[in-house]
Amino acid sequence: LILSGVAGRLRERFGKLSGFDTWVLDAKTEPYCEFLEDATNVVYLTSDGDEVVQEFDPNTTYIIGGIVDRNRMKGATARKARLQGLRTARFPLDEYVAMGANITRVLTVNCCIDIILEHLKTKDWTQTFLKCLPERKGAQERGEDEEDSDNGDEGDS
C-alpha cells in the first residue's frame, strides 16, 4: 500500500494522526505519476469509471484518489485519470446492492480500502458492500427482479 503526494501541509496533518508512523504503508512525497512506470497496469478507481471491477488483479495497481468530486468538482477524478492515460473503473455497487436514486456512489478513501480488503477476503461483492458501506447509504441486497439504476453521480469511488 502506497500513500503518494504526502508532503507539506498534508504530511504535517498525517503526522498529527495518532499511530500514523505505525501504518503498514509506504508514504511517498512525490505524486504517483512520478513513480508508477507502466500505466498499462494501473487503474484509477472512480464512481464514474469506464470499466467495472469484477475482481482485483494482483498485477494491477489501483489508485484511490483523494479528490472530492461530488459537488463542486464533478468528474474531476475521471478527467485527471484520462488525461494521465490511466484506465478508470468503478466498484459494481448497482450490480450487487440497491441504494436510493438520490444516494451518491462517491465513497471515502477509508471506505474504498475497506471494500478492497473485504472483497479480497470474501470474493463476495454483496456481502462486501453490506458490511463496508456506511449505513447512511442504505444499501440492501439487490433482488433479482430489480433494474440497474443510474443516478448520474460522478466522483471518487
Side-chain angles (χ1 to χ4, degrees):
L1 189 58
I2 299 171
L3 190 61
S4 67
V6 183
R9 287 184 59 209
L10 184 61
R11 177 68 183 153
E12 288 176 26
R13 287 184 177 192
F14 274 115
K16 291 178 183 176
L17 291 175
S18 178
F20 173 68
D21 55 340
T22 65
W23 289 7
V24 183
L25 56 78
D26 183 5
K28 294 184 176 288
T29 56
E30 63 267 29
Y32 61 84
C33 55
E34 291 184 16
F35 61 83
L36 292 177
E37 297 173 12
D38 182 11
T40 59
N41 289 331
V42 177
V43 174
Y44 209 122
L45 297 173
T46 174
S47 64
D48 53 349
D50 297 324
E51 303 172 27
V52 178
V53 176
Q54 298 300 327
E55 60 185 44
F56 293 101
D57 179 349
N59 297 313
T60 298
T61 299
Y62 296 91
I63 296 173
I64 303 169
I67 298 174
V68 179
D69 288 352
R70 206 169 92 202
N71 297 316
R72 188 171 55 90
M73 298 172 60
K74 279 189 180 276
T77 300
R79 279 192 301 279
K80 176 183 177 180
R82 290 177 188 126
L83 284 172
Q84 294 174 336
L86 302 176
R87 293 170 28 218
T88 60
R90 65 175 178 83
F91 292 136
L93 290 169
D94 290 325
E95 289 82 350
Y96 290 92
V97 293
M99 298 190 295
N102 294 327
I103 302 295
T104 179
R105 277 45 176 179
V106 176
L107 304 171
T108 65
V109 172
N110 291 4
C111 185
C112 291
I113 291 172
D114 288 345
I115 288 169
I116 292 168
L117 294 175
E118 185 66 20
H119 190 264
L120 287 171
K121 185 169 60 173
T122 67
K123 306 290 188 214
D124 182 320
W125 282 117
T126 301
Q127 292 310 309
T128 293
F129 293 140
L130 293 176
K131 180 177 180 179
C132 297
L133 290 174
E135 283 186 37
R136 70 180 180 279
K137 298 286 184 183
Q140 298 176 355
E141 189 167 351
R142 178 172 287 287
E144 289 184 29
D145 59 341
E146 291 183 62
E147 293 182 24
D148 288 342
S149 67
D150 179 13
N151 73 347
D153 252 358
E154 295 180 343
D156 251 359
S157 268

